[in-house]
Amino acid sequence: ANTERFSEVSDELHGTKEALLASIERDEAEIAPSTLYAVASILEDTPYINGSPQNTFVPGLIDLAVSRSVLVAGDDFKSGQTKMKSVLVDFLVGAGIKPVSIVSYNHLGNNDGKNLSAPQTFRSKEISKSSVVDDMVASNEILYQKGESPDHCIVIKYIPYVGDSKRAMDEYTSEIFMGGTNTIVMHNTCEDSLLASPLILDLVLIAELCTRIQIQEVGKDPCERPLHPVCTLLSYLSKAPLVPRGVPVVNALAKQRAMLENFFRACIGLSPEHNMMLEFK
């Protein structure tokens, strides 16, 4: 899935499923290629997972997926630098250490890097990589005042020579006890496609399994029903998790994994893993 520029979303073109389908008929320029693929998948009652950061899932597309009860999930595969960030920032904030500056630099030479060298497509990636710390910052109102957040900068450069061997460098500067500062610097070299490819396999397997699960809320649902078409269970593998309207976004990796594990434990009749270990206290 290649990164696209953000579409200029409007109610007229994207607001409802009817508006979206009519816009496709008129071949409107602001209907992204990935949105066309997603609509085609949904009309074939086939799940669609968006592995890139652009705004593929416009309101009309979600409307269409919900009306046909077809699973959709995204956005943007989470394989390396962002996955580390979702672990480290969660740890720092939870430990009372306040990240105030996060600077992330990447260079790579594959087609993804070439595509991201265009300013409009880079902006899509910048948005998805930057939002990963938002819920962790918001979780600690002692460290961060309302509306406060770390300075967060994302840089991606296209260097053809390095090919698929992506370099990622991060600097995390935090405020600590008695006005001190702490800086953590990380360097990661990885084969970008080899990290992403297993995620695609996992996403397909979990998505297919989710299409076969039925649930029933006692006292509310008259009978069993499928899961909501917007599949939040796949957040663990996404940089910018897609959630239904009104549902909080969770980016912290440990919480995402716990959600996934405990859901499947419930599917086979096991209680949630809460790690209290009261039997040993």
Side-chain angles (χ1 to χ4, degrees):
N2 258 347
T3 300
E4 301 165 355
R5 67 170 177 86
F6 259 50
S7 297
E8 294 291 336
V9 177
S10 68
D11 289 340
E12 180 186 358
L13 300 181
H14 311 91
T16 65
K17 62 185 178 185
E18 293 83 7
L20 179 60
L21 292 173
S23 299
I24 293 172
E25 284 291 327
R26 297 193 304 269
D27 197 22
E28 294 282 354
E30 288 303 322
I31 305 300
S34 58
T35 300
L36 291 174
Y37 279 110
V39 168
S41 292
I42 293 167
L43 293 178
E44 291 293 326
D45 295 322
T46 302
Y48 184 87
I49 302 167
N50 182 38
S52 297
Q54 69 279 340
N55 53 349
T56 297
F57 294 119
V58 295
L61 181 57
I62 299 299
D63 187 18
L64 183 65
V66 170
S67 70
R68 297 180 67 93
S69 195
V70 176
L71 182 148
V72 291
D75 289 308
D76 204 2
F77 299 152
K78 180 167 61 183
S79 59
Q81 186 180 55
T82 306
K83 184 173 285 187
M84 293 295 296
K85 188 176 293 182
S86 67
V87 174
L88 185 56
V89 174
D90 187 39
F91 159 70
L92 292 171
V93 173
I97 297 171
K98 181 181 180 180
V100 291
S101 171
I102 303 172
V103 181
S104 298
Y105 168 87
N106 309 255
H107 68 259
L108 68 166
N110 58 14
N111 284 337
D112 189 34
K114 185 175 183 179
N115 189 41
L116 290 171
S117 63
Q120 287 180 309
T121 53
F122 167 70
R123 180 59 182 155
S124 297
K125 180 69 75 171
E126 184 180 34
I127 291 171
S128 75
K129 288 172 82 73
S130 298
S131 63
V132 72
V133 304
D134 291 350
D135 65 306
M136 291 167 265
V137 168
S139 72
N140 194 324
E141 295 180 356
I142 296 174
L143 285 183
Y144 294 96
Q145 300 297 315
K146 187 175 181 179
E148 184 184 10
S149 61
D151 294 335
H152 194 178
C153 178
I154 311 291
V155 179
I156 302 175
K157 295 296 182 182
Y158 175 52
I159 307 296
Y161 178 79
V162 303
D164 203 49
S165 186
K166 179 180 178 181
R167 272 70 159 175
M169 287 154 271
D170 297 85
E171 180 188 86
Y172 299 83
T173 301
S174 304
E175 292 179 355
I176 57 174
F177 186 55
M178 294 183 68
T181 58
N182 176 68
T183 299
I184 299 172
V185 179
M186 302 176 62
H187 182 279
N188 178 29
T189 300
C190 61
E191 302 300 318
D192 201 40
S193 299
L194 298 184
L195 280 177
S197 296
L199 296 186
I200 298 173
L201 295 174
D202 289 342
L203 284 161
V204 169
L205 291 170
I206 298 171
E208 193 280 329
L209 178 57
C210 287
T211 63
R212 293 188 277 121
I213 295 173
Q214 302 277 317
I215 61 174
Q216 182 176 6
E217 188 173 341
V218 177
K220 184 177 179 181
D221 296 325
C223 58
E224 293 180 348
R225 61 173 177 83
L227 297 176
H228 193 284
V230 178
C231 189
T232 56
L233 285 169
L234 298 180
S235 297
Y236 178 61
L237 301 166
S238 305
K239 286 189 182 77
L242 180 70
V243 300
R245 187 180 291 109
V247 174
V249 176
V250 175
N251 281 296
L253 196 72
K255 292 179 182 178
Q256 291 175 336
R257 183 183 175 96
M259 173 180 65
L260 197 61
E261 288 182 349
N262 285 326
F263 181 83
F264 287 124
R265 287 176 65 90
C267 287
I268 58 174
L270 296 177
S271 59
E273 182 59 77
H274 49 62
N275 297 311
M276 290 178 67
M277 300 181 70
L278 283 175
E279 65 271 29
F280 301 110
K281 301 297 187 283

